[in-house]
Amino acid sequence: MKKILLASGCSWTDKNFESTSHPEMDCSWPKWPELLAKKLDMDCINLGKRGAGQEYIYSSLLEEIVETNKDRIGLVMALWSRARREDFEVEWGWTNIRESRNGTIEYFVNRSIRYMFSLQILCERYNLPLKQF
């Protein structure tokens, strides 16, 4: 059984990305998680979501790590987004504000670092390889 590449991020990661600026553009090309998984001979779980911020990226990886057999996970990858994005979990899934006005740049940077560090600690706890960028 192949190991899993577990990835999350914003529109650069979203396998179902559709351009709002150019709705006529065909965006069905394989995104980086699928390309990397193929190169590493892994299965891919791509949790990327257009417009996602740090909270969604962290939460989606956390939930998938908790639910997945740790022996199957070969690599966890987080493509962090803009610090000012704000995510909300609602009854039908996740939504976001692309540029929150509530807070200072120091707050947004510190919040991002907390998510990054927390993901690092989680992966260390389960001995899972992690790459963040």
Side-chain angles (χ1 to χ4, degrees):
M1 185 176 317
K2 289 183 179 182
K3 294 275 189 173
I4 294 169
L5 168 67
L6 178 57
S8 190
C10 60
S11 56
W12 296 103
T13 306
D14 187 350
K15 65 183 170 193
N16 300 313
F17 173 74
E18 295 177 3
S19 174
T20 53
S21 302
H22 302 282
E24 74 287 350
M25 184 174 18
D26 177 9
C27 301
S28 61
W29 62 79
K31 306 309 183 283
W32 69 264
E34 287 79 23
L35 294 171
L36 183 58
K38 184 176 180 181
K39 185 173 182 89
L40 297 174
D41 194 31
M42 293 183 172
D43 290 330
C44 183
I45 297 178
N46 182 350
L47 304 167
K49 183 173 172 38
R50 179 179 67 191
Q54 316 313 33
E55 184 174 359
Y56 170 80
I57 295 166
Y58 173 77
S59 298
S60 64
L61 290 169
L62 169 70
E63 291 171 10
E64 196 65 35
I65 289 168
V66 168
E67 295 297 320
T68 303
N69 178 340
K70 310 311 172 273
D71 293 333
R72 291 257 2 254
I73 300 173
L75 180 59
V76 177
M77 295 192 74
L79 171 60
W80 297 104
S81 188
R82 274 192 262 165
R84 290 185 63 168
R85 288 187 174 173
E86 194 168 352
D87 303 302
F88 304 94
E89 194 169 11
V90 292
E91 61 189 56
W92 47 266
W94 285 85
T95 189
N96 60 66
I97 297 172
R98 294 192 185 231
E99 291 292 325
S100 175
R101 292 187 177 97
N102 300 318
T104 64
I105 190 63
E106 291 82 10
Y107 161 74
F108 292 117
V109 169
N110 287 336
R111 181 183 65 168
S112 294
I113 291 169
R114 285 184 206 107
Y115 284 124
M116 294 169 189
F117 186 57
S118 183
L119 182 60
Q120 178 183 325
I121 290 169
L122 176 69
C123 288
E124 286 173 357
R125 160 66 178 88
Y126 289 112
N127 198 29
L128 301 173
L130 169 67
K131 300 291 181 193
Q132 304 185 69
F133 57 107

